[in-house]
Amino acid sequence: MNNTATISLQEEQKTKNTWKFLLSELKPKGKFFTPFNIISLPIMLLGAVLIVIRFWKGIGSVTNLTQDVPWGLWIGFDVVTGVAFAGGAYVITFMVYILNMRKYHSIVRVTVLNGFLAYVFYAGALLLDLGRPWNVINPIIGNSFGTSSVLFLVAWHFLLYMIAQLIEFSPAIAEWLGAKRARKILSGMTLGAVIFGITLSTLHQSGLGALYLMAKEKIHPLWYSEFIPILFFVSSIFAGLSMVIFEGSISHKVFSDQISEKNHKSHNKIIHGLARICAGAMFAYLFLHIVNFVHGQHWNLINSPMGYWYLTEMLGFVVLPLVLYVYSYRKMNILLIKIASVITMLGIIINRLNITVIGFKWDAASHYYPSWMEIVVTLAVIFTEIWIFRWIINRMPVLRESPAWAKSQSS
Amino acid sequence: MNLDRRNFFRVLGLTGATLTIGTDLKANQEQDENHEPVEFYGILYDSTMCVGCQTCEFICAETHELPEPTDIPRIGEVRKTDETCRTVVNAFDSPIGEVDIKTQCMHCNEPACVSACLTQAMYKTKEGPVIWRGDKCMGCRYCMVSCPFDVPKFEYHSPNPKITKCDMCYDRLQEGQLPACVENCPAEALMFGKRSDLIKEARKRIVENPDTYYDHIFGEKEAGGTGFMYLAPVSFDKLGFKTNLQNKSYPELSKGFLYSVPSIFVLWPAMLLGLHEATKNKQIKNEEENE
Ligand code: SF4
Ligand code: SF4
């Protein structure tokens, strides 16, 4: 009798401590008035105001969307481009868990976290763009399955993939909370989640391209092709990895206190290895584009403004970074690899926007340009994501080494 | 143990939901092949008879409680339908003089908008009209992106926006009435009926008056066939029609992708697991070598 009482008391004490711990973790850490905070905070606040207006007065009150161009920056950039950049998570988990390339293990967590947050926020941006968001449950709970829709597939995969990524990341949360048993169970699920996640990613990365298959006459012929799904999939590989290179370089500066000496040293090796994979994927991508171009007999289109723009994209943002990756890989030039990653990312943004916005209804009388409000909301979404990212990095063992008990558990 | 198994099946069920993609499409196709093709109703519009009086515009607005049209058809100016107006008549200059052309939803046999819609809000009724159901729609506007005729419109300035387009007066049809525009056209330029009968009638008109008609029924083949079909005195490209449309249906374009989904769902995990097993030992070897 007495015994049980002490135990329950202990339990109580424990939950109390957990609460205290969680509350203390909620408080911001570090200096508050950093340049990043000073720039991002007002934009986030303004973005929040704009979102309120959007739900109050309709989508047209903040966006420049028209009856001709129903999808603009929020879909073309936030969702389509953002998800391509989040592709790093499935590529890295593929390399580490499927191909057992241990070398890349130290960046798995941060990449998965990045991918997960990207999906949460960019799929969240999709909700902003829905005119009747309260009906979003229809295709989920199953009272209205539009199974012949590519968008149905993409939406479901977003949802399932977010769950898979959360499972992949969950051991870090368990380590943060000191939940030993939970960590053991959760890390046992990693391989399953990874396999499921890669399958989903293959399908929805290409699915984002397949969304535009039916808009055959609306997209400029230099960008429309039946291969869009494959092109989207292949480019998501190097888009994601370039993001990993870029983001990793920044994280290693900003969060340098979190990273162990060993990982600091191995990071350059990781970047170097990734450069080679990027180059390989980009080569395949370029090859597909050339086949597509020759096959589609588009020579006559080249001598036009859109044709020059196409050449700019291909030469300046595919061939150039490809050459840079190959060269810098050979010369072991880490700085050049980072530059190549930035150019690659710009190229992906340009490519996705060419299909979704710039080349969409390129021949219409009036063109769509995003309003400043669409841009502010987009920036606000990105900044919020970075805030949450920073919050997690500062608390959970993501860049930092796992606690000793977790390490002994896994071996 | 028991619980685990149940969980396992739940996951399978979830995967199943994503697997069902594409099966719908197949089912439809099989139906078309094995059974009598479904008999859709449609409308035949004879622009040689149309006088450009806009009665259809006015009666459409009245029937659907929309604002009255305020502008009139003018040569050289193309009016468009929008969220407050589901049909418009435009005037075109042609070698034989002014030709008026009415536009509205084409009620495709295999509509792109319906296959795009992930909630089945856009719906091809068995009678033929393509309708929009507000209780299902989530306002994603994918139907607008996909429709080759740019028909669905969206109320951008409403917190509770609707997708609007011609529904061939589906409510009236169910009460045994004709679509409002067909019933009220003073020139009898519009004719409602079974699609196959309309095609026969159109052919007959072309054969009997070869000088009056350009020898083509727009909508018989375009976009896989449409419920709304046109006759005209001159070739359709002179009358503002899109000339780059394909004769295959538009959902056909994404079928290849959707068909590949189930096989990837089966093949990928198996392949990944195989790769994992194959490289596991190599890994151990590497580690030994390193040490
Ligand atoms: S014309 Fe457009 S909106 Fe009308 S049925 Fe065809 S695809 Fe749908
Ligand atoms: S806007 Fe509505 S009707 Fe159109 S595709 Fe989306 S859910 Fe379907």
Side-chain angles (χ1 to χ4, degrees):
Chain A
M1 185 72 203
N2 210 356
N3 238 348
T4 44
T6 25
I7 286 177
S8 69
L9 210 71
Q10 266 173 358
E11 287 280 302
E12 217 167 86
Q13 195 70 28
K14 223 167 144 194
T15 41
K16 230 187 205 164
N17 280 345
T18 319
W19 276 114
K20 246 192 214 152
F21 170 70
L22 282 178
L23 275 181
S24 74
E25 289 285 76
L26 271 180
K27 283 193 205 113
K29 283 186 179 174
K31 266 207 317 213
F32 189 71
F33 289 104
T34 58
F36 172 75
N37 286 2
I38 290 170
I39 296 172
S40 63
L41 259 183
I43 292 184
M44 283 158 66
L45 288 177
L46 186 57
V49 173
L50 291 174
I51 289 172
V52 171
I53 297 178
R54 173 253 167 275
F55 280 105
W56 179 29
K57 295 251 165 154
I59 293 175
S61 55
V62 295
T63 71
N64 275 351
L65 294 174
T66 62
Q67 302 293 357
D68 279 334
V69 184
W71 283 358
L73 189 74
W74 289 354
I75 300 285
F77 183 76
D78 300 18
V79 180
V80 178
T81 313
V83 166
F85 284 147
Y90 82 88
V91 183
I92 297 284
T93 53
F94 176 72
M95 286 158 53
V96 171
Y97 293 107
I98 304 297
L99 297 182
N100 285 303
M101 296 159 88
R102 289 246 120 213
K103 177 173 148 192
Y104 300 100
H105 194 263
S106 61
I107 59 166
V108 166
R109 271 199 185 164
V110 65
T111 311
V112 170
L113 174 65
N114 244 317
F116 174 68
L117 291 179
Y119 275 85
V120 170
F121 280 89
Y122 303 147
L126 192 71
L127 288 183
L128 294 182
D129 203 62
L130 291 184
R132 308 162 68 83
W134 51 89
N135 276 342
V136 76
I137 48 157
N138 278 341
I140 295 173
I141 59 173
N143 63 355
S144 262
F145 270 0
T147 47
S148 64
S149 168
V150 180
L151 190 59
F152 176 78
L153 173 125
V154 170
W156 257 96
H157 282 200
F158 276 7
L159 207 75
L160 294 177
Y161 187 48
M162 274 191 247
I163 298 171
Q165 281 185 315
L166 190 60
I167 295 174
E168 288 168 24
F169 184 70
S170 59
I173 304 176
E175 285 167 22
W176 170 58
L177 296 173
K180 296 188 184 172
R181 250 176 63 86
R183 186 197 175 275
K184 198 156 190 187
I185 298 169
L186 289 170
S187 29
M189 291 161 74
T190 301
L191 182 64
V194 164
I195 289 180
F196 193 45
I198 295 171
T199 310
L200 291 170
S201 293
T202 315
L203 286 170
H204 72 245
Q205 291 285 359
S206 48
L208 280 176
L211 281 180
Y212 288 88
L213 284 177
M214 277 199 283
K216 190 177 171 197
E217 293 88 14
K218 301 188 193 180
I219 295 173
H220 192 280
L222 282 171
W223 282 276
Y224 180 90
S225 95
E226 54 194 303
F227 296 121
I228 296 184
I230 299 174
L231 290 170
F232 265 51
F233 172 65
V234 175
S235 54
S236 76
I237 297 175
F238 59 80
L241 290 183
S242 297
M243 184 67 173
V244 170
I245 295 173
F246 175 74
E247 176 274 327
S249 321
I250 294 178
S251 288
H252 270 248
K253 287 228 171 63
V254 179
F255 302 109
S256 60
D257 52 324
Q258 300 249 350
I259 298 162
S260 72
E261 192 62 24
K262 192 178 111 229
N263 282 346
H264 252 312
K265 281 207 188 110
S266 68
H267 192 240
N268 280 352
K269 266 198 214 139
I270 288 178
I271 289 187
H272 186 233
L274 292 181
R276 201 182 67 156
I277 302 169
C278 277
M282 283 180 97
F283 186 78
Y285 179 70
L286 182 66
F287 182 74
L288 279 171
H289 260 296
I290 293 173
V291 170
N292 203 9
F293 180 81
V294 175
H295 178 78
Q297 294 175 329
H298 292 323
W299 300 105
N300 53 330
L301 296 172
I302 282 296
N303 199 6
S304 68
M306 284 308 259
Y308 303 146
W309 182 226
Y310 177 78
L311 284 181
T312 314
E313 182 194 324
M314 285 301 130
L315 296 177
F317 294 94
V318 182
V319 176
L320 174 68
L322 171 58
V323 170
L324 279 183
Y325 267 134
V326 173
Y327 179 81
S328 53
Y329 174 76
R330 291 251 167 88
K331 298 272 172 209
M332 290 276 277
N333 187 334
I334 298 296
L335 178 70
L336 212 55
I337 292 180
K338 289 179 185 169
I339 293 174
S341 78
V342 172
I343 302 177
T344 307
M345 286 166 59
L346 287 177
I348 288 294
I349 296 177
I350 290 174
N351 174 260
R352 296 303 195 261
L353 289 184
N354 276 340
I355 290 168
T356 57
V357 175
I358 301 169
F360 192 87
K361 288 281 176 97
W362 82 102
D363 53 353
S366 61
H367 285 276
Y368 157 85
Y369 296 98
S371 69
W372 66 266
M373 292 180 277
E374 285 175 82
I375 296 174
V376 167
V377 171
T378 298
L379 287 176
V381 168
I382 295 174
F383 283 141
T384 319
E385 191 208 335
I386 297 178
W387 272 69
I388 304 274
F389 179 73
R390 186 177 60 179
W391 188 88
I392 295 177
I393 294 280
N394 278 331
R395 282 159 186 81
M396 301 183 195
V398 177
L399 291 170
R400 185 167 7 115
E401 296 281 321
S402 299
W405 61 263
K407 276 189 183 161
S408 63
Q409 207 178 48
S410 52
S411 59
Chain B
M1 183 65 210
N2 236 338
L3 199 77
D4 276 349
R5 190 174 286 172
R6 207 176 298 150
N7 268 338
F8 179 71
F9 280 118
R10 199 171 299 149
V11 173
L12 266 191
L14 231 53
T15 324
T18 36
L19 277 173
T20 49
I21 286 172
T23 46
D24 254 21
L25 288 169
K26 259 185 208 147
N28 280 344
Q29 216 180 32
E30 271 159 24
Q31 222 172 31
D32 289 351
E33 280 161 12
N34 301 341
H35 302 267
E36 284 287 292
V38 209
E39 186 62 287
F40 291 137
Y41 283 88
I43 294 174
L44 176 67
Y45 167 74
D46 190 335
S47 63
T48 65
M49 290 156 86
C50 174
V51 292
C53 65
Q54 287 181 288
T55 305
C56 51
E57 287 187 26
F58 279 89
I59 198 75
C60 178
E62 194 187 308
T63 314
H64 300 101
E65 288 159 8
L66 297 165
E68 256 185 25
T70 49
D71 49 351
I72 57 165
R74 276 197 200 91
I75 289 175
E77 185 189 316
V78 180
R79 298 154 71 221
K80 287 181 172 174
T81 56
D82 61 30
E83 68 272 32
T84 61
C85 142
R86 301 181 185 185
T87 184
V88 291
V89 179
N90 281 311
F92 293 90
D93 199 16
S94 83
I96 61 126
E98 183 181 318
V99 178
D100 296 298
I101 295 291
K102 176 182 183 304
T103 45
Q104 70 299 303
C105 172
M106 300 291 287
H107 299 280
C108 308
N109 288 350
E110 283 181 66
C113 61
V114 170
S115 106
C117 183
L118 73 169
T119 63
Q120 294 184 346
M122 278 291 178
Y123 182 68
K124 177 85 177 164
T125 58
K126 60 180 192 306
E127 296 88 349
V130 175
I131 59 167
W132 174 81
R133 304 183 289 186
D135 55 331
K136 296 183 185 285
C137 172
M138 58 188 229
C140 66
R141 309 190 292 290
Y142 187 32
C143 48
M144 301 171 72
V145 172
S146 303
C147 168
F149 300 99
D150 287 321
V151 166
K153 306 291 173 191
F154 181 74
E155 295 176 337
Y156 281 106
H157 289 280
S158 158
N160 180 9
K162 291 193 279 294
I163 294 278
T164 63
K165 70 171 202 64
C166 158
D167 62 355
M168 219 193 266
C169 292
Y170 188 60
D171 293 341
R172 288 173 54 99
L173 287 180
Q174 280 182 316
E175 286 162 16
Q177 289 174 295
L178 286 174
C181 54
V182 176
E183 187 175 281
N184 291 282
C185 175
E188 293 184 5
L190 291 162
M191 186 175 168
F192 178 84
K194 282 202 180 119
R195 194 170 175 269
S196 53
D197 293 344
L198 294 177
I199 293 175
K200 265 184 226 141
E201 169 67 21
R203 288 237 177 82
K204 199 174 107 208
R205 288 189 199 176
I206 295 177
V207 171
E208 282 173 3
N209 303 292
D211 295 339
T212 317
Y213 293 101
Y214 177 74
D215 186 9
H216 184 77
I217 309 168
F218 187 92
E220 185 189 359
K221 299 257 164 60
E222 278 80 5
T226 59
F228 200 99
M229 290 172 289
Y230 290 81
L231 282 175
V234 294
S235 76
F236 286 89
D237 54 332
K238 299 196 176 74
L239 303 173
F241 282 77
K242 270 198 177 181
T243 49
N244 53 358
L245 294 169
Q246 60 170 25
N247 282 347
K248 270 194 314 181
S249 84
Y250 278 75
E252 205 72 49
L253 290 167
S254 49
K255 264 183 195 170
F257 173 77
L258 287 169
Y259 281 167
S260 69
V261 170
S263 38
I264 289 196
F265 240 107
V266 175
L267 291 179
W268 245 232
M271 195 188 77
L272 293 172
L273 205 62
L275 270 176
H276 170 78
E277 291 300 325
T279 52
K280 209 153 90 185
N281 298 330
K282 200 180 95 198
Q283 174 58 35
I284 293 169
K285 227 196 258 158
N286 276 350
E287 260 167 20
E288 277 168 0
E289 274 165 21
N290 283 344
E291 271 163 357

